[in-house]
Amino acid sequence: MAASLRVGFIGIGNMGWPMAANVAKAGFPLTVYDANPDAAKRFAEEHGCDAADSLAALGAAADIVVTMLPTGPIVREVMLDADGGGLASHLAKGAIVVDMSSSEPIGTRELGAALAEKGITLIDAPVSGGVPRAVDGSLAIMIGGDDEDAIEKAEPVLNAMGGRLFRTGGIGNGHAMKALNNYVAAAGFTAAAEAMIMGRKFGLDPATMIEIINNSTGRNFNTEIPIKDHVLTGTFATGFQLGLMAKDVKIAGDLGESIDIEAPLSRLVRDMWADALGAMGPTEDFTVAIKRWEAINK
Ligand code: NAD
């Protein structure tokens, strides 16, 4: 019975909170853990599940562990090093780890090999759709993995969080796909931001520009939602941090270089977001990048 799989969930942040809430709602026995113990405790109280106070306690309570952490190096640290030996030293052989964070694909392949030596299977299953689709359980999930049985076992848990599950191939492919998607999305945001800055200087009204773009061929996800609802209104609160977007486009730009592909636009987008990150700081909403590009043009 799928719902009897005991699920551990690490990283109860902007995305992890609503994703874990959907796992609880689907009826899986759930234990959560976060570096911020208050967040885990509050979540457990609200959703009638358990909060682990250590990785050892989480490992003892889970057949399958989902990670929704900021970066790949943090996932690796939690798995292999934290608290002397990492979560891996507390999981039973045959356990499954599903990394749903947006991590570096090459690091994921290395972590998968290190966990396999301990009898643990790693699957990468990053997501797209942001906080609203995490809340309504309709995320797009990009699955990479080499162990078909483990993927099949994990699918009911993933279905609790996702609207569509996509199989992308072997371990790391999900993470490569996610970085490439976010590179395309970031490039769309960057192009629209530059067009608005240029248009305003020439005498166009940015709000009118976005309305026209959204009824024309230049429209993309960022012009339709983040720019329209968060930049033009001045709220800058999509729930996706600048540090995370800069990380994603760095993964994509670096990937092109590490596999020897000439992809200059991916490097330019990576470098522009690294500059915005340096100027604005990692915890700002990603949409504030436009303020940096406006400031350069003042
Ligand atoms: P977040 O910063 O809101 O949440 C991360 C959580 O991990 C926090 O609760 C933090 O306390 C916890 N954490 C950090 N280090 C830890 C550790 N060593 N041990 C245990 N817990 C630890 O980030 P988020 O926005 O939820 O993003 C999580 C991941 O999802 C990132 O990889 C991000 O790139 C990706 N992502 C985010 C969005 C979005 O819209 N926010 C969309 C798609 C993918």
Side-chain angles (χ1 to χ4, degrees), residues 10-16 33-36 68-71 74 78 100-102 127-128 130-131 178 239-241 244 247-248:
I10 306 182
I12 305 296
N14 286 332
M15 292 292 286
Y33 176 83
D34 196 285
N36 171 3
M68 195 55 178
L69 293 164
T71 66
I74 294 176
V78 164
M100 301 189 76
S101 330
S102 306
V127 306
S128 188
V131 173
K178 168 66 187 173
F240 186 46
Q241 295 173 4
L244 296 178
K247 173 200 64 172
D248 290 341

